[in-house]
Amino acid sequence: MKIGTDNIHLTYCTNIHPGESWSDVFANLQQYIPVLKLRLSPENPFGIGLRLANIAAKELLEKDNLAQFQSWLTAQNLYVFTLNGFPYGEFHHQVVKDAVYSPDWSKLERLNYTINLAKILAALLPQGIDGGISTLPISYKPWWKGEVSAENHIFDSSCLHLASLTAELINLRQQTGKFIHLDIEPEPDGLLENTAEVIDFFTNWLLPVSGAILAESLSISPKLAEAQLLEHIRICYDTCHFAVEYEDPATVFALFQECGIKIGKIQLSAAIKVALPANREVLLSRLRPFAESTYLHQVIERYPDGSLHHYPDLVTALPYLEQSKAQEWRTHFHVPIFIHDYQVLQSTQDDIVAVLQLLQANPVCQHLEIETYTWDVLPQEMKIDLLASIQREYEWVLQTGLAIQPQLASIS
């Protein structure tokens, strides 16, 4: 839905729902979206944050599937403005862990998949709205850590593919009038995981390397190529991910703006945090149910001197909790955004509030996407009806956004 007076669009990401084929995805949309629209935006257009696996993207482009989907969207007064292109393959009901990063941006499969997503979004996107596709932070850092030549190779290959994608996005805009950007999503243990690494990548890799490739392929000046890259390659700011990195939203926004790096999408999500010292036995009993086997739940602990220590997953971190001298632990587990305190645990909900307040003063991004995808793996006592949970998250955002309130608006 459109909210506020700055053309901000709010949705939730349909990666909440299991299903990798297009028929599964469409069945989920038909089951959940009309009901949510009736509850949240009965009279006005309702936006969708669509997650498509590679197989679903290919199937949607076959036969008349895309035309049928467009007709359904029109009939239901719905619109699609953002896609989640991070998970390439299966994302539910099996072990995902670091497989979520494969194929990474060094692989042609990732480029071709994202081009398909761009074609789909160009067909679905209403006129006058920019479209965004969120994607992985280039690769998974532990695969390359300590191998300088390997890391250089992945950046070189990824820059080639990002230049090729940018050329495709420019061509799509010329053909359709639809402007689409790729939104790179930093997260703990991603090859790009924090503000410093994002700025370093843009400054030392994307702009000079991809810029040179793009300039040659389009026969344009290097300066124009860099400008096109900054327009079409942006950042997906996930509030959970940056909170786990202990980064202040206002500082991140300012640094990105100073470097000309745009935020294409903000994902509203909350991480688990625990203050130390505390009763370690109680903390262990409360954290263990979150150490589940489907997704990676990276942990970063912060010491009184401000230094950070990383654990690759909560299950590997828990044995160190009792002896930890850290001041705080933060865990990459997307908990419901409307929960601040859960027994002895807390969430990083305050970072979401800070981001919403920043947007009121400086609307640097027009796409907001609620992304609590972990309903299936939450501890049993936190699980409630899924529709009610999604609705509650929307309502919390709208109430917390203060001046950002629903606006009656038409989407052409």
Side-chain angles (χ1 to χ4, degrees), residues 101-113:
Y101 298 97
S102 181
D104 62 27
W105 269 102
S106 70
K107 304 296 190 297
L108 187 60
E109 295 93 327
R110 173 63 62 172
L111 171 63
N112 290 336
Y113 162 57

Side-chain angles (χ1 to χ4, degrees), residues 5-158:
T5 58
D6 296 298
N7 292 320
I8 293 176
H9 299 267
L10 173 66
T11 186
Y12 83 101
C13 185
T14 60
N15 64 353
I16 288 175
H17 309 300
E20 312 307 323
S21 70
W22 171 241
S23 60
D24 288 339
V25 172
F26 194 28
N28 283 325
L29 296 177
Q30 291 171 306
Q31 178 181 353
Y32 290 100
I33 299 295
V35 180
L36 284 167
K37 183 185 185 304
L38 183 63
R39 296 181 182 183
L40 295 163
S41 183
E43 303 297 330
N44 300 299
F46 190 72
I48 298 176
L50 189 60
R51 185 260 158 165
L52 297 171
N54 181 54
I55 185 172
K58 288 182 176 179
E59 291 171 348
L60 186 51
L61 289 169
E62 293 173 352
K63 302 178 182 177
D64 62 346
N65 288 336
L66 191 54
Q68 289 184 4
F69 183 43
Q70 287 174 301
S71 297
W72 181 78
L73 291 171
T74 301
Q76 298 290 329
N77 199 14
L78 304 168
Y79 65 105
V80 175
F81 64 93
T82 185
L83 300 183
N84 185 334
F86 193 138
Y88 175 93
E90 296 187 10
F91 193 59
H92 287 275
H93 301 160
Q94 65 169 333
V95 176
V96 178
K97 297 295 182 180
D98 63 350
V100 76
Y101 298 97
S102 181
D104 62 27
W105 269 102
S106 70
K107 304 296 190 297
L108 187 60
E109 295 93 327
R110 173 63 62 172
L111 171 63
N112 290 336
Y113 162 57
T114 309
I115 289 173
N116 281 342
L117 294 181
K119 291 177 180 177
I120 291 167
L121 187 53
L124 300 177
L125 189 66
Q127 292 289 348
I129 303 175
D130 62 300
I133 303 169
S134 52
T135 191
L136 74 157
I138 308 301
S139 188
Y140 183 50
K141 188 178 290 181
W143 293 346
W144 311 98
K145 197 170 183 180
E147 300 181 36
V148 176
S149 60
E151 187 172 289
N152 287 346
H153 167 73
I154 184 144
F155 279 144
D156 273 329
S157 301
S158 299

Side-chain angles (χ1 to χ4, degrees), residues 86 101 105 135-142 144 151 154-155 158-159 162 183-203 205-206 233-236 241-242 245 247 256 261 298:
F86 193 138
Y101 298 97
W105 269 102
T135 191
L136 74 157
I138 308 301
S139 188
Y140 183 50
K141 188 178 290 181
W144 311 98
E151 187 172 289
I154 184 144
F155 279 144
S158 299
C159 284
L162 289 171
D183 306 326
I184 297 173
E185 184 180 338
E187 72 171 21
D189 285 344
L191 199 54
L192 307 181
E193 67 171 285
N194 55 43
T195 304
E197 291 179 354
V198 167
I199 291 173
D200 179 74
F201 173 72
F202 270 72
T203 303
W205 289 97
L206 182 70
I233 308 295
R234 303 187 179 192
I235 294 299
C236 173
H241 300 169
F242 279 86
E245 297 281 344
E247 296 212 65
F256 282 165
I261 299 171
Q298 302 93 327

Side-chain angles (χ1 to χ4, degrees), residues 302-317:
R302 181 169 63 176
Y303 287 83
D305 64 359
S307 60
L308 304 177
H309 178 73
H310 293 232
Y311 296 97
D313 204 352
L314 181 58
V315 68
T316 58

Side-chain angles (χ1 to χ4, degrees), residues 236-277:
C236 173
Y237 184 105
D238 187 299
T239 54
C240 167
H241 300 169
F242 279 86
V244 172
E245 297 281 344
Y246 298 89
E247 296 212 65
D248 171 62
T251 303
V252 176
F253 280 26
L255 288 171
F256 282 165
Q257 284 189 291
E258 183 181 324
C259 297
I261 299 171
K262 296 184 178 181
I263 297 174
K265 174 161 70 174
I266 294 175
Q267 288 181 326
L268 303 177
S269 58
I272 299 170
K273 69 176 183 179
V274 295
L276 302 174

